[in-house]
Amino acid sequence: MSESAKLSFKGQDYEFPVITGTENESAIDIAKLRASSGLITLDPGYKNTGATKSAITFLDGEEGILRYRGYRIEDLAEKSNFLEVSYLLIYGELPTQSQYETFSKEITHHTLVHEDIKKILEGFPSNAHPMGVLSSLICALTAFYPDSLNPNRNKEEINLSIVRLIAKMPTFAAWAYKNEMGHPVNYPDNSLDYCSNFLKMMFALPAEKYDVDPVVSSALDKLLILHADHEQNCSTSTVRIVGSSQASIYASISAGINALWGPLHGGANQSVIEMLEAIKADGGDAKKYLDKAKDKNDPFRLMGFGHRVYKNFDPRAKIIKKAADDVLEKLGVNDPVLEIAKELEHAALNDQYFIDRQLYPNVDFYSGIIYRALGIPTDMFTVMFALGRLPGWIAQWKEMRENGEPIGRPRQVYTGANERDYVSMNKR
Ligand code: MLT
């Protein structure tokens, strides 16, 4: 029996259908709210508003559950790999051996980029933030593949764009880093797996042999899996709303990269390390900063703690914490910044102030630590987040387009001046 919700307003009763998803989440369908009552809803930040129905990712913030297409993130992080998870998110099912081999081969075949891309790259000063370079190069794909601008492209053409994005994003990410370093770029090495190829493009230097450390490559693959999707977060919602105007997938993903850049979203992992380095520069007294975080008159806030959705713990953080401990031990990393991180982590997990406010270490806290241990430079951390989130963005864009969702166009409540006559203030 279908449920409904009733609303009373100015003596009039209204009834709206309630829909329930496969995990028993329920929502009031207000598609007819304005037409029937003249009312709209107001929900800044959309904390109580569902933008869509989606079959891609399920998360339960209260229980700390995260699943991609029904598979637990814990199982995927332990048993799968990033390309297989990308296929799962985008196409809805785990690939057969043959499908996986075809997908991997197509991606390997498309890792190279047009030589003219280097001219765009060389136009950026070396102090350009890699996220700005990355979003620009991804959007530049619209110029090299103008067919992508046609909103009525068939499935094969869209799949080609998907393969190009997954294949070329690591190349662009590594080239953005090389531009920052003032080093010559490295071309892809198609004999390597996805993460090893990226690491070699990032860190190989001319005339020097570069061997990828399998510990680093494996840790990076796990990190990318853990960041691959997260339902309707800020950057994914951006990709969906840009895509809803029938903009190309390249323009939509470029917009998602820019949304992720903000310190309240993907930039948080960079802010975590910057916070830890500032504490170290100020003498390394973690307790001093924990006290500052508790002082409501002090503007200092702990970065990398708590989460908008998860109310007890971020399941990704638990996995990354263990991976960070493993990597630090295997690589023999001894970094004072990481010691400060462990003191903050211990306090947050044991201090009632932080426990009461659910300020536990989140995915950004630990990912910043592990990227640092892997030798990834700080301002590349958010680029790593984008690399991981790419298949999620693609999957959500594809679902939105396949479901024929309308253009996103929210309403508003106007609070400005009422009608007034024009009287010039300038005695011209
Ligand atoms: C994410 O993974 O996108 C972040 O945790 C932010 C979010 O989900 O709101």
Side-chain angles (χ1 to χ4, degrees):
M1 192 265 286
S2 61
E3 303 282 322
S4 67
K6 292 183 175 59
L7 171 70
S8 291
F9 177 61
K10 291 186 177 175
Q12 181 81 26
D13 292 341
Y14 304 90
E15 189 166 1
F16 302 98
V18 170
I19 67 158
T20 300
T22 52
E23 289 291 341
N24 298 317
E25 300 165 302
S26 293
I28 304 171
D29 180 343
I30 57 169
K32 296 185 169 59
L33 173 65
R34 188 168 184 273
S36 58
S37 69
L39 289 166
I40 64 168
T41 59
L42 187 61
D43 187 20
Y46 310 109
K47 295 180 184 175
N48 305 283
T49 299
T52 189
K53 292 185 282 190
S54 178
I56 298 170
T57 291
F58 170 70
L59 67 81
D60 181 322
E62 282 68 28
E63 299 301 321
I65 293 171
L66 178 59
R67 301 189 200 122
Y68 296 159
R69 299 286 189 178
Y71 293 95
R72 287 182 297 278
I73 189 71
E74 293 81 359
D75 290 345
L76 293 171
E78 182 190 343
K79 300 169 186 170
S80 185
N81 67 52
F82 180 61
L83 281 191
E84 184 180 67
V85 168
S86 298
Y87 187 101
L88 169 67
L89 285 167
I90 294 167
Y91 298 107
E93 297 295 338
L94 287 169
T96 62
Q97 183 67 29
S98 161
Q99 289 168 329
Y100 179 77
E101 286 171 2
T102 302
F103 187 60
S104 302
K105 200 175 296 177
E106 285 174 349
I107 286 169
T108 302
H109 178 70
H110 285 277
T111 52
L112 204 55
V113 298
H114 194 292
E115 275 295 291
D116 285 351
I117 288 273
K118 283 171 64 176
K119 295 173 185 163
I120 301 172
L121 180 70
E122 286 155 7
F124 284 98
S126 58
N127 67 343
H129 194 289
M131 283 294 276
V133 175
L134 183 63
S135 67
S136 303
L137 296 184
I138 289 290
C139 203
L141 291 176
T142 55
F144 293 89
Y145 306 109
D147 292 350
S148 65
L149 300 175
N150 172 6
N152 304 311
R153 297 167 71 222
N154 63 38
K155 191 172 285 191
E156 287 68 34
E157 290 167 327
I158 287 178
N159 282 339
L160 179 54
S161 295
I162 290 171
V163 165
R164 282 174 175 149
L165 275 165
I166 296 177
K168 298 179 192 309
M169 186 92 142
T171 306
F172 287 165
W175 284 17
Y177 171 62
K178 286 303 192 185
N179 179 66
E180 193 177 12
M181 300 304 290
H183 291 173
V185 298
N186 290 315
Y187 287 91
D189 177 344
N190 288 341
S191 69
L192 297 174
D193 65 59
Y194 194 81
C195 288
S196 300
N197 173 41
F198 170 71
L199 290 166
K200 184 174 180 182
M201 288 192 288
M202 275 281 287
F203 296 122
L205 292 171
E208 279 186 22
K209 188 173 180 331
Y210 180 82
D211 293 322
V212 178
D213 183 329
V215 171
V216 174
S217 179
S218 170
L220 179 56
D221 193 271
K222 191 188 290 283
L223 280 165
L224 297 183
I225 289 173
L226 293 168
H227 285 83
D229 194 50
H230 210 236
E231 62 146 74
Q232 305 307 313
N233 58 84
C234 176
S235 56
T236 298
S237 300
T238 301
V239 169
R240 286 184 83 117
I241 203 164
V242 171
S244 73
S245 72
Q246 295 203 343
S248 85
I249 190 168
Y250 301 132
S252 305
I253 297 300
S254 177
I257 293 169
N258 289 315
L260 187 71
W261 195 353
L264 293 182
H265 191 9
N269 55 21
Q270 175 174 341
S271 303
V272 166
I273 292 296
E274 288 167 352
M275 170 189 75
L276 294 171
E277 285 175 336
I279 293 172
K280 174 173 173 274
D282 185 31
D285 182 352
K287 186 180 181 314
K288 171 182 173 183
Y289 280 84
L290 288 163
D291 292 340
K292 286 167 65 72
K294 295 177 185 176
D295 179 355
K296 62 181 184 303
N297 298 316
D298 191 312
F300 174 75
R301 290 294 173 267
L302 275 179
M303 294 304 292
F305 289 80
H307 194 281
R308 166 80 163 277
V309 177
Y310 291 114
K311 295 313 169 202
N312 296 302
F313 62 91
D314 182 335
R316 301 168 296 178
K318 292 177 78 173
I319 300 167
I320 291 189
K321 172 180 171 26
K322 184 179 182 314
D325 292 342
D326 290 349
V327 166
L328 292 179
E329 184 184 347
K330 284 178 184 170
L331 297 179
V333 172
N334 179 17
D335 182 340
V337 159
L338 304 183
E339 290 312 311
I340 294 169
K342 286 186 183 298
E343 286 183 58
L344 293 178
E345 173 197 34
H346 177 78
L349 294 174
N350 296 281
D351 184 314
Q352 205 55 45
Y353 175 88
F354 298 104
I355 293 169
D356 292 346
R357 291 160 179 78
Q358 296 157 346
L359 293 176
Y360 49 82
N362 63 26
V363 67
D364 302 312
F365 181 77
Y366 293 113
S367 58
I369 288 170
I370 200 169
Y371 286 139
R372 181 183 174 93
L374 297 182
I376 305 282
T378 304
D379 67 1
M380 283 288 292
F381 287 5
T382 311
V383 170
M384 303 310 297
F385 195 144
L387 205 53
R389 186 52 50 88
L390 178 63
W393 285 334
I394 291 171
Q396 301 270 353
W397 183 93
K398 182 170 175 284
E399 180 181 68
M400 178 271 304
R401 292 294 274 273
E402 287 175 348
N403 291 348
E405 294 192 11
I407 184 169
R409 204 274 184 225
R411 309 291 299 214
Q412 64 165 26
V413 173
Y414 177 70
T415 57
N418 298 112
E419 184 178 3
R420 51 185 170 170
D421 295 331
Y422 175 81
V423 176
S424 169
M425 297 298 170
N426 304 312
K427 302 306 175 202
R428 285 189 288 275

